């Protein structure tokens, strides 16, 4: 299956991102009372089960893009369910052997509890006011950082793809002839229908060849020149890449521009609140230090540092 996008292989990155998100779901949900979950069971291993309600809750915690990918990737869901069951089985085995009572494990648990307790309390006492930042604050930050809000030109493209590895001269010759005929048909006919019936890139073919809206650098190097010189509605001559031929249609394009205030406002608001919280947290810690009376034994500090070398 071909990727129309560049050699960074965004398809692979999307799959890796999806697996990472599933891994995060697994890590954050490990130890839940799986067998006690409400709803119909969707997976079971002995006395351990995962309910439909739990699965739905976990899916809701994923980014929308990852949820959409899962709809067409049942294998990834099955792998996650298997890992989830195994993780719960591992936890139960550890609990049955009272592993948490082991001195070394207990000290690690105590340290983690102390860290989480302190970190969560500091977060609670350093929350910025609900009305921060104001609209004036946001607009001032936008104007000061306007040069960082450049949005590259993007191109909404579709393709018809024919596989033909460059190492196979017979396949290349056959695909080139077929691609030239399809390009001629696409210019006077229904591009989407041709893509659905003829394109060998299954993902984009299912969407009438639609690859999406992308900046130029995310397209295959071989098709960038063609796309950047086309007008909306135009269909390119066949473009050869190392894996085959691409017949590209430019559906629409948007020139490079500076993002508007409204476009960056949500992210800018989040960043300013994070910065203010960091400032408030630091000030709170400094205030606690000033209130207390403490001494530092520099000789002991130096001795500890020398042992660490």
């Amino acid at each position: 299956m071909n990727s129309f996008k560049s050699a960074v292989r965004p398809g692979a990155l999307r799959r890796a991102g999806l697996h990472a998100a599933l891994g995060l779901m697994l890590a954050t949900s490990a130890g839940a009372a799986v067998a006690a979950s409400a709803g119909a069971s969707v997976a079971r291993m002995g006395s351990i089960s995962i309910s439909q309600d739990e699965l739905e809750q976990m899916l809701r915690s994923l980014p929308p893009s990852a949820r959409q990918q899962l709809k067409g990737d049942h294998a990834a869901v099955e792998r996650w369910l298997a890992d989830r069951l195994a993780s719960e089985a591992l936890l139960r085995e550890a609990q049955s052997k009272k592993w948490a009572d082991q001195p070394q494990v207990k000290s690690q648990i105590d340290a983690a509890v102390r860290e989480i307790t302190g970190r969560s309390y500091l977060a609670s006492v350093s929350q910025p006011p609900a009305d921060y930042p104001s609209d004036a604050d946001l607009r001032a930050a936008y104007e000061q950082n306007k040069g960082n809000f450049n949005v590259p030109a993007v191109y909404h493209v579709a393709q018809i793809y024919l596989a033909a590895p460059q190492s196979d001269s017979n396949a290349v010759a056959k695909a080139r002839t077929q691609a030239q005929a399809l390009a001629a048909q696409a210019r006077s006919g229904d591009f989407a229908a041709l893509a659905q019936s003829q394109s060998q890139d299954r993902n984009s073919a299912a969407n009438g060849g639609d690859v999406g809206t992308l900046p130029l650098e995310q397209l295959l190097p071989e098709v960038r020149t063609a796309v950047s010189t086309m007008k909306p509605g135009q269909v390119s001559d066949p473009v050869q890449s190392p894996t085959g031929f691409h017949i590209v249609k430019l559906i629409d394009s948007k020139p490079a521009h500076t993002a508007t205030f409204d476009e960056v406002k949500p992210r800018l608001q989040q960043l300013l609140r994070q910065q203010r919280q960091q400032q408030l947290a630091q000030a709170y810690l400094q205030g606690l230090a000033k209130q207390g009376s403490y001494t530092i034994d520099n000789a002991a500090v130096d001795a500890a540092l020398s042992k660490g070398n």
Side-chain angles (χ1 to χ4, degrees):
M1 182 171 59
N2 167 69
S3 171
F4 178 69
K5 300 177 185 180
S6 72
V8 298
R9 302 190 186 279
L13 291 177
R14 285 197 301 272
R15 289 190 294 274
L18 174 59
H19 295 160
L22 290 173
L24 178 60
M25 276 170 45
L26 176 63
T28 56
S29 62
V34 181
S37 299
S41 174
V42 297
R44 181 177 294 277
M45 183 174 70
S47 63
I48 304 171
S49 68
I50 300 174
S51 73
Q52 182 177 334
D53 288 348
E54 183 190 14
L55 178 58
E56 291 175 356
Q57 181 181 359
M58 295 301 162
L59 291 175
R60 284 194 294 270
S61 70
L62 286 173
S65 58
R67 284 200 303 272
Q68 186 64 32
Q69 289 179 55
L70 277 178
K71 291 181 180 180
D73 195 348
H74 288 279
V77 178
E78 290 176 8
R79 286 194 298 272
W80 174 77
L81 290 172
D83 287 346
R84 180 72 182 87
L85 291 167
S87 178
E88 182 64 21
L90 177 67
L91 177 63
R92 292 188 183 189
E93 182 178 322
Q95 289 173 333
S96 71
K97 296 181 178 181
K98 300 187 182 301
W99 191 253
D101 295 336
Q102 296 284 334
Q104 183 178 0
V105 178
K106 191 175 186 304
S107 66
Q108 293 174 346
I109 293 172
D110 291 343
V113 169
R114 288 169 59 85
E115 181 185 354
I116 294 171
T117 301
R119 188 168 62 241
S120 64
Y121 178 73
L122 181 60
S124 71
V125 297
S126 59
Q127 283 293 323
D131 60 353
Y132 180 84
S134 67
D135 197 65
D137 294 326
L138 288 167
R139 290 189 179 278
Y142 173 76
E143 293 298 332
Q144 291 170 5
N145 296 279
K146 211 169 185 177
N148 297 322
F149 300 141
N150 295 325
V151 179
V154 291
Y155 302 84
H156 186 183
V157 291
Q159 72 160 343
I160 298 171
Y161 171 75
L162 300 177
Q166 285 183 339
S167 58
D168 188 338
S169 58
N170 290 332
V172 168
K174 181 179 178 181
R176 178 180 285 110
T177 300
Q178 185 182 359
Q180 289 170 344
L182 285 172
Q185 293 178 53
R187 292 191 181 97
S188 58
D190 188 332
F191 189 97
L194 276 174
Q196 288 176 337
S197 63
Q198 302 296 325
S199 180
Q200 294 172 5
D201 178 10
R202 290 179 296 171
N203 286 341
S204 62
N207 297 315
D210 197 327
V211 177
T213 301
L214 303 164
L216 205 61
E217 61 268 20
Q218 289 188 18
L219 299 176
L220 282 170
E222 292 81 8
V223 304
R224 291 174 191 169
T225 300
V227 169
S228 64
T229 58
M230 292 167 63
K231 296 180 180 179
Q234 284 188 324
V235 175
S236 73
D237 290 329
V239 177
Q240 186 176 9
S241 73
T243 63
F245 288 89
H246 308 260
I247 303 160
V248 183
K249 179 177 181 179
L250 180 62
I251 299 172
D252 195 12
S253 65
K254 293 182 180 179
H257 67 284
T258 299
T260 66
F261 173 73
D262 288 336
E263 287 175 332
V264 301
K265 182 177 178 179
R267 179 60 178 156
L268 195 56
Q269 185 176 41
Q270 181 183 16
L271 288 173
L272 289 182
R273 285 190 64 83
Q274 288 174 349
Q275 290 175 3
R276 177 56 60 89
Q277 182 167 16
Q278 291 171 359
Q279 293 167 355
L280 292 174
Q282 188 63 34
Y284 193 85
L285 290 172
Q286 290 175 350
L288 290 177
K290 289 179 180 178
Q291 291 175 14
S293 176
Y294 64 88
T295 60
I296 295 177
D297 187 334
N298 288 321
V301 171
D302 291 339
L305 291 174
S306 65
K307 289 181 180 180
N309 293 334

